[in-house]
């Protein structure tokens, strides 16, 4: 009984192990046991491509490479097969791409422009519809100075990301190359202008070099000025506050005197108009006034016929109808002995005439 149970377990173990081994071998060898549809494609360079490599559509393995042989003197014919039931259009583009950095490659099938009719089995895709793989050797040689300064692990990561970026980006690279060529042509067309700019720039730089001492002195003085401003920043800030307060006070003052000032200007206009209307009288007074003053001064000084002495005054000063602040009902009294009586009174105390 024990021998029979052990034998059954051994048989089950061998069957399961054989099945798993076969499945693993089929996966690694990309073996298919269904029907296949064969096609061929013409390449100018298939370096690194080997029979058994994948054939993919949109990244999914749908077939494998069957054989590779030389066609003519510089072309290669690649035969591949797809799983039964799959077909590709006549406009199919076959691209040779890198699978990893070890060098493994695969064929990528994409639909191009043209007929969408299914391609007949056994047909050959022409050279115009195939694309060679990117030459990583040339690419990495360009990055050699960079790679020499990096750690080996970093180099591998950078290389892998470069491959991932450039795979399938042929259109973008082509567009970038075209734009670069356009820029180069534009620069070539502007060669004379660029030359003049460089000459003028050289002249400017030469002038600056000749004035190097003055330029250095200017920079030193500017630095000193900036340092002075920095030291006096508190005083400058306070002065700005003072200017702000002065501006506010001035604005308030102008707001307060605006109405009286407008009235004064209006009264001045009235005065000017009155003087203009009586200009003949004013002119006559001004013409006669010097002679009259000479006579009065001579009489009062030498003849002592009469004396003028101001003992006091009383009244209100105003501009127009508006009294002047502080001069409303003012009274001026001379304390001299001769003015011992009040304004408007006689020496005996009675009202003066």
């Amino acid at each position: 009984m024990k021998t029979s149970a052990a034998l059954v377990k051994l048989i089950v173990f061998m069957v399961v192990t054989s099945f798993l081994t076969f499945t693993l071998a089929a996966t690694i060898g990309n073996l298919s046991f269904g029907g296949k549809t064969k096609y061929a494609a013409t390449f100018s360079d298939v370096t690194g491509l080997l029979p058994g490599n994948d054939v993919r559509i949109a990244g999914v393995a749908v077939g494998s490479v069957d054989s590779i042989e030389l066609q003519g003197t510089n072309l290669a014919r690649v035969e591949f097969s797809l799983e039964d039931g799959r077909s590709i259009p006549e406009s199919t583009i076959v691209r040779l791409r890198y699978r990893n950095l070890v060098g493994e490659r695969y064929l990528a099938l994409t639909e191009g422009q043209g007929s969408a009719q299914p391609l007949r089995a056994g047909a050959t895709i022409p050279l115009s519809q195939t694309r060679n793989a990117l030459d990583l050797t040339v690419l990495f040689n360009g990055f050699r100075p960079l790679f020499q300064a990096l750690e080996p692990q970093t180099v591998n990561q950078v290389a892998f990301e470069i491959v991932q970026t450039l795979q399938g980006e042929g259109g973008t690279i082509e567009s970038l190359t075209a734009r670069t060529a356009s820029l180069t042509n534009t620069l070539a067309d502007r060669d004379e202008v660029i030359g003049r700019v460089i000459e003028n720039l050289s002249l400017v730089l030469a002038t600056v070099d000749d004035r190097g001492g003055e330029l250095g002195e200017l920079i030193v003085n500017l630095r000193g000025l900036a340092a002075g401003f920095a030291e006096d920043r508190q005083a400058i800030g306070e002065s700005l506050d003072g200017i702000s307060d002065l501006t506010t006070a001035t604005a308030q003052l102008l707001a307060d005197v605006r109405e009286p000032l407008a009235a004064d200007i209006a009264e001045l206009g009235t005065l000017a108009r009155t003087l203009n209307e009586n200009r003949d009288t004013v002119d006559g007074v001004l013409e006669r006034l010097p002679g009259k003053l000479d006579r009065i001064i001579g009489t009062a000084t030498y003849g002592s016929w009469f004396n003028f002495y101001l003992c006091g005054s009383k009244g209100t000063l105003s501009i127009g109808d508006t009294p002047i602040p502080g001069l409303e009902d003012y009274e001026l009294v001379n304390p001299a002995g001769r003015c011992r009586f009040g304004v408007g009174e006689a020496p005996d105390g009675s009202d003066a005439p």
Side-chain angles (χ1 to χ4, degrees), residues 146-158:
L146 174 63
F147 291 158
Q148 290 176 349
L150 298 177
E151 297 292 334
Q153 183 177 0
T154 307
V155 172
N156 293 338
Q157 182 65 25
V158 172

Side-chain angles (χ1 to χ4, degrees), residues 17-242:
T17 304
S18 300
F19 175 75
L20 294 177
T21 303
F22 177 77
T23 303
L24 180 61
T27 302
I28 296 175
N30 196 18
L31 301 177
S32 177
F33 301 99
K36 296 182 179 181
T37 304
K38 294 184 176 295
Y39 298 96
T42 302
F43 285 88
S44 60
D45 186 2
V46 291
T47 303
L49 185 65
L50 300 173
N53 289 154
D54 290 345
V55 178
R56 300 183 181 185
I57 297 178
V60 180
V62 295
S64 61
V65 176
D66 295 332
S67 63
I68 302 173
E69 59 182 14
L70 184 65
Q71 183 179 28
T73 57
N74 56 359
L75 297 178
R77 176 183 172 86
V78 178
E79 294 184 355
F80 61 93
S81 57
L82 303 181
E83 297 174 356
D84 190 24
R86 295 189 179 276
S87 61
I88 55 177
E90 295 179 352
S91 59
T92 297
I93 303 296
V94 184
R95 304 176 186 273
L96 184 58
R97 291 182 175 175
Y98 280 89
R99 182 177 180 180
N100 50 46
L101 292 179
V102 177
E104 293 183 330
R105 307 195 185 193
Y106 68 93
L107 295 181
L109 306 182
T110 58
E111 185 175 356
Q113 297 180 352
S115 175
Q117 294 294 326
L119 184 66
R120 63 179 178 81
T124 300
I125 299 175
L127 182 64
S128 60
Q129 293 179 224
T130 60
R131 304 290 184 269
N132 298 332
L134 176 67
D135 192 344
L136 291 181
T137 301
V138 177
L139 177 62
F140 290 159
N141 285 339
F143 286 97
R144 180 178 298 175
L146 174 63
F147 291 158
Q148 290 176 349
L150 298 177
E151 297 292 334
Q153 183 177 0
T154 307
V155 172
N156 293 338
Q157 182 65 25
V158 172
F160 178 75
E161 292 180 357
I162 290 174
V163 172
Q164 292 291 96
T165 301
L166 295 181
Q167 277 188 348
E169 298 297 333
T172 303
I173 297 175
E174 182 179 358
S175 176
L176 177 62
T177 305
R179 293 179 183 274
T180 304
S182 176
L183 175 61
T184 305
N185 293 334
T186 302
L187 292 177
D189 295 338
R190 302 293 186 273
D191 179 69
E192 184 177 356
V193 177
I194 295 174
R196 289 201 301 268
V197 171
I198 294 176
E199 291 177 359
N200 295 336
L201 182 59
S202 300
L203 180 61
V204 171
L205 294 177
T207 304
V208 172
D209 181 66
D210 294 339
R211 300 292 187 273
E214 292 84 348
L215 182 60
E217 184 178 356
L218 174 62
I219 295 174
V220 172
N221 293 335
L222 288 176
R223 183 174 60 185
L225 178 62
F229 282 150
E231 293 176 356
D232 298 335
R233 59 184 180 277
Q234 184 174 358
I236 294 174
E238 294 175 353
S239 66
L240 293 177
D241 293 338

